[in-house]
Structure formats: structure tokens, C-alpha cells
Amino acid sequence: GSPAHIKRHNLDKLESRTERCKFVGYPKETCGYYFYHLDDQNVFVANRAVFLKKEHILGGDSGRMIE
């Protein structure tokens, strides 16, 4: 999935306000997006996210082999 930043709800003053996650898909029962949290290794639903499209395109795996 493409990388994204999700706003955190439980914050300390010195911690980052966002978490980096991977977009997984769309839930059928609610509105929002499925995300996979890399550190906690769990899947959750979030309504808002900032998708890192440029980073995904530049550093991503396009699936094509270039010789």
C-alpha cells in the first residue's frame, strides 16, 4: 500500500502528532480507510489521512524490470 500520515489522538507534548502507516483498503461497513500500522502490526480504520503520493511514486516498486 501507499504510505500515509495519520493524526494521533493520544499525544504527549513532545511526541509527533502523526504516525506513518500504509494504506490497505476501504472498509465496507463504515466510511474511511484501512491502514496498517508498521510498529504495532495491526490494522485500523481512520477517516482522515495525508497520502504521500510523491514518495510512493519516486521510491516505489513499479513492478517493471528495467535492464
Side-chain angles (χ1 to χ4, degrees):
S2 63
H5 281 275
I6 308 299
K7 185 177 180 182
R8 295 178 58 189
H9 296 288
N10 301 333
L11 295 174
D12 288 338
K13 287 187 175 184
L14 299 176
E15 289 186 26
S16 173
R17 295 185 187 267
T18 61
E19 291 181 306
R20 189 178 176 118
C21 300
K22 294 275 187 177
F23 172 72
V24 179
Y26 300 99
K28 292 181 182 178
E29 63 277 356
T30 62
C31 59
Y33 309 101
Y34 275 135
F35 290 100
Y36 177 72
H37 192 271
L38 303 172
D39 296 334
D40 297 342
Q41 296 182 352
N42 62 353
V43 177
F44 63 95
V45 177
N47 291 333
R48 294 185 180 180
V50 175
F51 293 95
L52 306 172
K53 297 175 191 174
K54 187 173 183 179
E55 183 177 313
H56 181 64
I57 292 171
L58 292 177
D61 181 25
S62 66
R64 293 190 309 182
M65 300 268 311
I66 300 175
E67 296 181 20

